Each structure stands twice: as C-alpha cells, then as structure tokens.
Amino acid sequence: MPEVESDVRLEGVTKRFGDHVAVDALDLEIERGAFFAMLGPSGCGKTTTLRMIGGFEEPTSGRVHLGGEDVTDRPPFRRDVNTVFQSYALFPHLTVEKNIAFGLERQKLGKAEVKQRVAEALDMVQLGSFGARRPSELSGGQQQRVALARALVNRPRALLLDEPLGALDLRLRKELQLELKRLQRELGITFVHVTHDQEEAMSMADTIAVMREGRIDQAGSATDLYETPRTEFVASFLGISNFVDGRVIGADGDVASVETHDGAQLRLPAARLDAHGDVRIGVRPEKVQLAEPGGDVPSGWNVLRGQVIVAAFLGVSIQYLIRAAGGEELTVIAPNRDGTAPDVFTVGRDVLLTWNPDFTFVVEKEAPT
Amino acid sequence: MSLRRRRQLVPWLLIGPGLLWLAVFFAIPLANQLYVSLQTGDPETGYQFTWAFGTYTDAIADYQEQFLRSIGYAATATILCLVIGFPLAYYTAFKARPWMRNLILLLVILPFFVSSVLRTVSWQLILFDDGWIVARFRDLGLLGDDGRLLATRTAVIAGITYNFLPFMILPLYVSLERIDRRLVEAATDLYASRASAFRHVTLPLALPGIFAGSLLTFIPACGDFINAALLGTPRQSMIGNVIQSKFLFVQDYPTAAALSFILMTFILVGVALYARLLGTKTLTDSAV
Ligand SMILES: Nc1ncnc2c1ncn2[C@@H]1O[C@H](COP(=O)(O)OP(=O)(O)O)[C@@H](O)[C@H]1O
Ligand SMILES: [Mg+2]
C-alpha cells in the first residue's frame, strides 16, 4: 500500500433542515485513492453528505477537511473536488467539448493545454468523435460519460458521484460500473460514490459506509459488511439474513456459546461478542446446509431443528423457508449442484439446519420502532 | 379518407385559422398601404396610383430627424427596461418565495388593466410643473428653479420605459425561470465564481428572453406616439406622431404609408442584425 493519508475527512458534521436532521454528527475518513461508497436507503442523507463535501450545502455544525485542509467555509469553486450530478447537469448551450473544457477554462489554463486535455478526456470515456455535439444530441449513457469526463478532466483530489448510474437501464449500468471501476484504478483518484444499490456498492467499492437516518451504521469492505454485519439493518440491507435471539452462556477460548430461548446451543467466534446477556445472532442463508434428522453433521457445527414451509426452485439454487423449532422463520439457499428438483427436503419435512460457527455474526438489537 | 391523407391534412388544419387571420388582417391591409404609398394627389382631388417612389425619398429627407429620434428614444428605453427588468426578473425567478413571485407577476401585469393613454395622462399630472415631484427635484437641486420634467426628452423616454417594462420583464422571467439551478451549481463545482457562473451559464441561457423582451419593447416603442404626444412637445415628436398626424389631420396618406414602410423595413433589418449579434444558434439551441 502507498502512504495512507486521509483525503476527505468529516468531523462531527451535522446538517439540519428546519427541525429535520438530515445528517447527524457524522464522522468519516476516506483515504487517498480509495473507491468509497455511501450506501443507504433513499432519504438517509447520502446526497446531503456529498453536497457538504462539494460545498453546495453548509454544515449546521462540524468541519469538512480535504487533503488535511479545513474547507468548511470555502465555496465549491475553491475546493479541488468535482461532482458528477445525478441529473448530469450538462450545459445545454455548450458543445460536449465546451462542457468538458468548462472547468479548465475557469481555471485559466492555456488554450493548447485545454484542447489537449479535453481530447484526452473524450478518449478516456470513448466519446472521441462526439466533441462537437450538444448534450441534447446524446443518449443517456453518453451524457453520463460526458459528465464524468467534465469532472475528471480537472484532475480533482476527489470525485463525488451522486447515484451516477441511477437513470440508466440495467445493462448500461453494469457496463458503466465496470468502466468507472477501471477509470478509478487507472487514475488513482479518490471516488466517493453515493448509491442505494447494494450490489453496485459491493461490486465497485473498496470501502462501503452503510448509512441510516443521517448516521453511518457500519463501514468496511464488502466482505466485512456481508460476513460480519454488526447491525440488523446492515445485515438486511446487504442481502438476506437469518436472526435468532439467545443468551450468552459462556466462552471456551475463542469460541463462545449462546443458548436460544428454546434451549438449542449455538457457537460463534468469541471476538464477535461484545455484550453479555441477551444477544441477537445471525447467519447468511447460503452458509446453512440442510441435513436429514439423524444425518451426519460435521463436529462443532451449529444445529437447529426445523420444518420446511416453502421450497422454491430458482434454477441456480433452491430457496427454502424453514420454521425453526423456536418459531423463527429462516431462509436457506442451497446451490443447485446435482441438477435435481428439491425432492429430498419437500414441504412439511423435518430437517436440521447446520452451519460452521465461523459464519455466525452478532447484531445489535433494533429498538422496536 | 386514408390515414396518410389525414396526417397530411392535420398541419393545415392547425395553421389554417392563423393563416386566414393573417391574410385578412395583415397581408391585405399591408398590400393596400403599399399601393397607397405609391399614389400622388391631395385630399381635395383624391389620390391616383402613379408609382411615386419619390414619396419615399422625400419622406426620409423630411423626417430624418424624427426617425433618428424614434430609434434613439426606443433604444434608450429598451436598454433602461433591460437594466430595470433583469434584476427584477432574476429575483422573481430564483429568489422569491412562491407567494412573492405571484405578487410580483401580478404587479407587473396590473398596469394592463388600465388603458395606456390613461396611465400616461396620469404621468402628466405627476410630472406637472407645479407638482410635488418637480418641487422636490428643485429642492434637491436636480432641476433648476425654472426646470421642468414635463415636456422634456427625459419625460418621453421615461414614459416609454414605464409603458413597455412589462413586455421586457415577462419574457425575461419566463426564460430565467426555466433555467435549471443545478446548472449553476455545476458551474460553481467547475471552478466558476458566482459572477463567472452567471456570465457563462445563466446569461447565455437567458438570451432568448433578452432577445424576445428587447424586440417586444423596441419595436412598439419605435412606433409609439402616445408618450411623445402627452409627455413631450413637438421638439420630442417621434415618427409615430408624424405618421399619426399625416393620416388623421393632414390626410397625406401616401406619405404616412411610406413612413410606415420605411419604419418597418428599418425594424426588420435591425432585428436581423440583433439576432446575428446574439447568435441565432445560441438562441434556438438554448431555447430547447
Ligand atoms: N434542501 C432541503 N430542504 C429540506 N429538507 C431536505 C433538503 N435536502 C434534503 N432534505 C431532507 O434531508 C433528508 C436526506 O436527504 P438526502 O441527503 O437527499 O437523502 P438521500 O440522498 O440519501 O436520498 C431527507 O429526509 C430529505 O427530505
Ligand atoms: Mg440522493
């Protein structure tokens, strides 16, 4: 890794609109050259956070730092970050070339340099022959690329992207996801990418911050967030999760044990427990294997009893809904390895749910809302 | 009727009423006036068509002063309207809350509810030599002791400006109101200061409104005669006053018609040059 230096830093940033707290005492640190995604449902404050980094919105309190400098009181045009707006916001009265040159011209760069950098930027987004067109003469995907080129041509410290692919159809979105990722790798510019699409965030970002109600619930790599979510919200936002309530009954070295309310004992890595007493633990549906009662279970694995309620054949996998002995409804996804329909674990059958304790995670209990 | 035929018919149905209207109330009178302008004679014995192009050259020679004055007054008033109207339209489009916006727009069109002659007559009273305004101007030293406001060039230009201001403000407001504010944000994101964002984004996008407002002000102002008649003296008389008196009082129809055509030609050429200056491409493109 090159030197790890923070490029974008938010310090206790709060934004209120009237009584409404859109961003709530947010602390955030994004290191140089990272592909950072802010993921969360609509209205959780992603755009507002991005707008405060860009300078379009003034924090009610807290400080914004870029590259170690406090820029909280600086207007957007004195911050070396550029934004790709969700609506693209291309200038309709200017050609594609002039749109891309806009930032360079405002910075008073020489004509020759502007020309050269615009040409490079056009090539970079594969729009080499579109320079003389107006934005209205381009497709949505092409407009998106122009918006990207218009921002990147300035070689900003960080690129802020607000749901940049939100308006595009699925195929184009996938294509541009790859392209964005490639560009970010090649240019080494910090990308701050806002999205509500968990798949997009997971496939592109090095670090994902999951936001909820103006706060970051949890930040980490896609793997961290998926395998060891720390809140029920994160666990559910990134895929399907199964939850079981229990009480910590002790630890044996690295392995702790939890007893469910119906008396089953489940084990998990002790490091993931930071509470005593009542806890909620979870496991991902594809980590669970089904076995027949009395069948072989690898030693040390967790076991729950249950009964199949639904078995749905999805082609690539079979998805089961199982009522556990304790009453919880759990989802199990079994890969379709042998090409047969689900004739073993048919609806109504008693089954064992088994999984490796390493795949057990612990989430904060939600306060009932 | 086949679908194709009906499709072909639709455009004609749409423009038909307008075309008919223009033909009856515009083209025919215009042709008639052209015919009149080439006649000679006098009110007693009547006029005959004689291909009298001389009327045109005589009219230019005799009324050059009024022509130039009309253009000067109209241009000055148009610039004043733009200078006064733009900030107001800008505020209304971008800053005003909805109720404020409606209030301003209402106030802008409110004068239309009263006849412009009546409004101009009341300006006579306001600018009256023994009136309050003139007295204050004298107190402040803005006018000499026997200085007047009424019957001056200033009064005429101010009257024209006042009368045509709404025709400037409304198109300006419409074009500004349509500008996506996010474009201005994008400009400041791309290192444009507020002034620079205004110059490079807001202003070019407002050009169609500036163009439309200027034409709607300048063209009728060129032909205006009410303001010069009511607020000025013969020394401020404009070409409209000449045309009016030729038609109504002297009954020299050919000269009146020739003057009208000269004015029209001048305005058409002027508009074309103005459109060129602002860049027709910008106008049509940013209007999308
Ligand atoms: N200019 C504003 N005025 C009032 N409320 C706003 C404004 N901008 C955003 N909000 C509110 O702040 C919250 C967060 O908005 P936003 O940051 O746009 O969320 P996201 O981008 O995650 O969907 C929302 O509840 C939204 O209604
Ligand atoms: Mg948003």
Side-chain angles (χ1 to χ4, degrees):
Chain A
M1 283 241 59
E3 89 270 45
V4 176
E5 150 190 2
S6 97
D7 216 17
V8 179
R9 191 156 64 85
L10 302 188
E11 212 179 84
V13 167
T14 296
K15 179 68 188 181
R16 276 198 200 92
F17 294 109
D19 295 340
H20 180 74
V21 182
V23 174
D24 190 4
L26 196 74
D27 289 310
L28 180 66
E29 206 157 322
I30 302 173
E31 71 193 34
R32 162 148 282 173
F35 198 129
F36 188 91
M38 276 193 274
L39 174 67
S42 174
C44 70
K46 307 181 294 291
T47 296
T48 307
T49 307
L50 207 66
R51 287 173 60 81
M52 288 191 287
I53 301 173
F56 305 112
E57 216 72 77
E58 212 179 317
T60 310
S61 62
R63 311 303 297 176
V64 178
H65 300 262
L66 290 175
E69 270 183 281
D70 186 335
V71 299
T72 318
D73 302 318
R74 279 197 218 162
F77 55 90
R78 298 233 178 76
R79 302 189 185 196
D80 56 350
V81 295
N82 288 112
T83 308
V84 175
F85 295 87
Q86 174 161 19
S87 55
Y88 314 142
L90 298 177
F91 304 122
H93 59 299
L94 300 178
T95 61
V96 166
E97 246 161 21
K98 280 287 177 187
N99 262 279
I100 298 175
F102 194 93
L104 301 176
E105 285 175 350
R106 299 293 85 70
Q107 294 175 91
K108 307 263 187 293
L109 265 68
K111 273 217 168 71
E113 185 175 2
V114 170
K115 202 166 169 210
Q116 193 206 335
R117 276 170 69 171
V118 168
E120 281 170 16
L122 274 171
D123 283 343
M124 176 182 76
V125 295
Q126 290 146 35
L127 286 175
S129 56
F130 290 81
R133 295 219 194 163
R134 302 271 165 152
S136 58
E137 296 164 340
L138 300 180
S139 71
Q142 290 167 336
Q143 291 183 20
Q144 216 285 327
R145 283 166 210 256
V146 175
L148 198 61
R150 185 178 70 173
L152 283 174
V153 75
N154 301 293
R155 301 181 187 151
R157 162 183 300 287
L159 186 71
L160 312 178
L161 304 111
D162 190 0
E163 312 237 5
L165 309 177
L168 305 175
D169 63 53
L170 187 67
R171 200 181 51 80
L172 205 55
R173 202 151 68 214
K174 297 276 172 218
E175 201 179 298
L176 278 163
Q177 278 176 15
L178 292 178
E179 195 164 321
L180 273 179
K181 183 80 188 151
R182 174 181 66 81
L183 277 175
Q184 195 268 337
R185 284 243 179 79
E186 284 173 15
L187 300 171
I189 290 177
T190 310
F191 275 33
V192 186
H193 183 116
V194 157
T195 177
H196 64 265
D197 179 343
Q198 46 107 1
E199 211 177 294
E200 186 172 302
M202 289 173 78
S203 68
M204 296 169 81
D206 311 317
T207 308
I208 302 171
V210 180
M211 281 188 73
R212 176 170 51 147
E213 291 169 11
R215 294 173 158 277
I216 291 178
D217 240 36
Q218 187 178 351
S221 68
T223 326
D224 286 347
L225 295 180
Y226 187 79
E227 303 299 348
T228 52
R230 284 200 304 267
T231 69
E232 210 173 316
F233 177 77
V234 171
S236 305
F237 203 78
L238 284 83
I240 309 173
S241 282
N242 295 308
F243 300 111
V244 179
D245 286 337
R247 164 183 290 277
V248 180
I249 52 174
D252 175 13
D254 292 345
V255 181
S257 292
V258 166
E259 188 179 62
T260 67
H261 63 99
D262 61 315
Q265 280 196 16
L266 299 174
R267 287 141 49 92
L268 71 160
R272 291 183 194 158
L273 267 181
D274 49 12
H276 295 286
D278 290 340
V279 292
R280 178 165 291 176
I281 62 174
V283 64
R284 294 290 184 184
E286 74 283 359
K287 303 293 192 308
V288 181
Q289 290 177 20
L290 295 182
E292 292 183 68
D296 277 348
V297 173
S299 80
W301 279 36
N302 288 329
V303 181
L304 285 176
R305 302 175 164 285
Q307 191 180 40
V308 178
I309 310 173
V310 178
F313 180 69
L314 302 179
V316 65
S317 61
I318 303 157
Q319 185 166 340
Y320 298 95
L321 192 62
I322 293 169
R323 188 184 322 282
E328 301 90 355
E329 283 187 5
L330 306 178
T331 303
V332 175
I333 296 175
N336 176 9
R337 284 225 186 78
D338 39 20
T340 54
D343 49 359
V344 185
F345 302 113
T346 50
V347 173
R349 286 281 308 260
D350 286 330
V351 290
L352 298 181
L353 299 95
T354 71
W355 71 92
N356 185 331
D358 286 348
F359 296 134
T360 313
F361 53 81
V362 182
V363 295
E364 271 169 34
K365 275 195 182 180
E366 297 282 294
T369 43
Chain B
M1 205 175 354
S2 77
L3 187 63
R4 224 189 91 198
R5 269 196 67 89
R6 252 185 288 168
R7 283 238 177 91
Q8 286 171 336
L9 209 61
V10 166
W12 293 106
L13 288 176
L14 289 174
I15 62 173
L19 273 184
L20 199 67
W21 180 274
L22 280 176
V24 173
F25 294 104
F26 182 71
I28 295 175
L30 202 68
N32 178 51
Q33 285 303 303
L34 191 63
Y35 181 71
V36 169
S37 75
L38 297 172
Q39 292 176 343
T40 46
D42 59 67
E44 265 86 72
T45 58
Y47 294 95
Q48 277 83 42
F49 184 76
T50 56
W51 292 106
F53 286 106
T55 314
Y56 280 80
T57 43
D58 290 348
I60 293 178
D62 293 348
Y63 299 106
Q64 195 183 1
E65 189 191 327
Q66 282 83 351
F67 265 116
L68 292 177
R69 188 180 293 132
S70 294
I71 295 161
Y73 285 8
T76 313
T78 303
I79 292 168
L80 284 174
C81 281
L82 187 59
V83 169
I84 299 168
F86 197 95
L88 183 73
Y90 185 90
Y91 172 83
T92 312
F94 294 146
K95 311 277 180 201
R97 289 160 181 274
W99 67 265
M100 185 63 163
R101 170 181 302 197
N102 292 336
L103 180 68
I104 293 173
L105 291 176
L106 179 70
L107 290 176
V108 167
I109 59 165
L110 203 59
F112 290 140
F113 289 89
V114 180
S115 120
S116 96
V117 175
L118 213 61
R119 281 183 280 123
T120 312
V121 167
S122 61
W123 272 103
Q124 259 183 338
L125 299 178
I126 295 169
L127 302 178
F128 179 52
D129 287 345
D130 298 330
W132 188 87
I133 298 274
V134 170
R136 293 296 83 74
F137 269 55
R138 286 177 181 160
D139 291 350
L140 293 170
L142 292 169
L143 277 178
D145 280 345
D146 49 0
R148 2 181 11 195
L149 284 175
L150 198 60
T152 62
R153 186 174 56 182
T154 313
V156 177
I157 292 175
I160 297 174
T161 305
Y162 158 77
N163 272 300
F164 293 105
L165 192 56
F167 296 102
M168 178 64 88
I169 291 174
L170 293 176
L172 280 179
Y173 167 76
V174 170
S175 73
L176 286 169
E177 198 260 343
R178 282 198 326 193
I179 297 176
D180 185 347
R181 297 312 287 155
R182 286 171 294 194
L183 295 178
V184 178
E185 273 190 357
T188 59
D189 184 65
L190 294 163
Y191 311 100
S193 63
R194 288 188 163 276
S196 175
F198 177 80
R199 182 164 128 54
H200 293 283
V201 177
T202 310
L203 198 57
L205 290 174
L207 273 188
I210 295 175
F211 183 72
S214 305
L215 294 190
L216 287 179
T217 309
F218 182 76
I219 295 174
C222 270
D224 183 77
F225 58 91
I226 295 174
N227 288 282
L230 297 180
L231 303 176
T233 66
R235 284 173 48 215
Q236 281 82 37
S237 101
M238 295 168 67
I239 201 66
N241 303 88
V242 178
I243 295 174
Q244 192 211 15
S245 87
K246 290 277 175 210
F247 261 118
L248 299 183
F249 304 126
V250 190
Q251 293 172 9
D252 178 359
Y253 304 124
T255 305
L259 285 170
S260 301
F261 276 101
I262 294 166
L263 181 65
M264 201 171 87
T265 311
F266 164 77
I267 288 173
L268 286 176
V269 172
V271 168
L273 288 178
Y274 185 55
R276 227 8 214 285
L277 182 76
L278 288 188
T280 12
K281 184 142 178 61
T282 325
L283 284 179
T284 47
D285 281 2
S286 51
V288 203

